[in-house]
Amino acid sequence: MRGFDLPRRLVAEGLGTLLLVATVIGSGIMAETLTKDVALALLGNTLPTGAILVVLITILGPISGAHFNPAVTLVFTVRGELHPHHAAQYIAAQVLGGILGAMVAHAMFGLPLLEFSAKARTGFPQWLAEFVAAFGLVVTVVGGLQFREAAIPWLVGLYITAAYWFTASTSFANPAVAIARSLTNTFSGIRAQDLPGFIVAEVLGAMVAAGFMTWLLRGTETTKKAIR
């Protein structure tokens, strides 16, 4: 975020979330159109999502930090790296960008701009999966910033690619994306009534990860002092 004012940072957050959601929903529609094999369709949804994250974080990260995710924004706010007032605007930009992304994906495939999803995603296994997905994402981001900042785009893209397959929920890990996905009745959708459970699990997972990484990385400071 070197030298970029708040309006430009908000535009970057909104644009990044828009393109992320358009990729998630659009690739899901394309995959569902091309094959009836659910596993193959999920793979067709996974690879573009991981790839676009690498691109978006690389080009927009220097502008806004490339959160594209209210849970990540909350983590940086709790860590004192983002002012709460700015965080609220980041989250608003992310949610708005996500909704516009759903509309763009629908428009590209000739569907109604917005339609409520009928896909059920609820229950403890799904909530636990979202907790794990968000926890792992924040561990990846914070650990990457500590040890290999230049690799963050690849770390996040690869983590989400993996988490699509090892979590029961296919790793939303993002409240703004979850809200946008409730507005598409396609492969990647989620019912609006299932959103609260997902969002609570994502925020909890992110906050627990933030606390855990604060404790874990404090050891680096202790080691430096011992060496001195």
Side-chain angles (χ1 to χ4, degrees):
M1 297 185 285
R2 310 179 193 87
F4 291 95
D5 59 19
L6 182 60
R8 286 176 173 79
R9 287 155 55 194
L10 295 177
V11 168
E13 284 297 299
L15 176 63
T17 313
L18 185 158
L19 292 173
L20 173 59
V21 168
T23 301
V24 171
I25 294 176
S27 63
I29 296 170
M30 179 67 82
E32 204 171 33
T33 301
L34 295 177
T35 181
K36 300 304 178 186
D37 185 325
V38 177
L40 188 57
L42 181 59
L43 183 62
N45 194 203
T46 303
L47 296 179
T49 302
I52 199 65
L53 280 167
V54 174
V55 174
L56 293 176
I57 296 171
T58 299
I59 63 175
L60 298 177
I63 300 174
S64 69
H67 299 182
F68 314 141
N69 184 335
V72 171
T73 295
L74 288 174
V75 167
F76 282 107
T77 305
V78 169
R79 286 165 58 88
E81 298 175 31
L82 188 65
H83 192 281
H85 180 63
H86 293 174
Q89 294 179 71
Y90 262 50
I91 291 170
Q94 291 156 2
V95 172
L96 177 59
I99 293 170
L100 291 175
M103 296 172 70
V104 168
H106 283 187
M108 289 191 293
F109 287 92
L111 299 175
L113 292 184
L114 293 175
E115 51 185 2
F116 290 110
S117 177
K119 182 169 288 190
R121 297 180 189 263
T122 190
F124 180 76
Q126 293 276 309
W127 301 332
L128 176 60
E130 279 305 288
F131 178 93
V132 170
F135 179 93
L137 175 61
V138 170
V139 167
T140 299
V141 170
V142 175
L145 287 172
Q146 178 74 20
F147 299 116
R148 195 67 65 84
E149 185 174 356
I152 284 287
W154 286 99
L155 293 173
V156 173
L158 289 171
Y159 173 78
I160 292 298
T161 298
Y164 253 80
W165 287 83
F166 78 75
T167 63
S169 61
T170 66
S171 183
F172 287 43
N174 185 330
V177 170
I179 290 169
R181 288 172 70 161
S182 74
L183 299 173
T184 180
N185 194 27
T186 61
F187 183 79
S188 58
I190 176 176
R191 295 185 307 180
Q193 58 263 46
D194 297 335
L195 280 177
F198 266 54
I199 291 173
V200 168
E202 290 157 2
V203 172
L204 282 176
M207 292 298 105
V208 171
F212 171 75
M213 291 302 285
T214 297
W215 169 82
L216 185 66
L217 295 177
R218 194 171 291 149
T220 60
E221 299 174 6
T222 304
T223 301
K224 287 177 183 176
K225 289 178 182 177
I227 292 172
R228 289 172 188 164

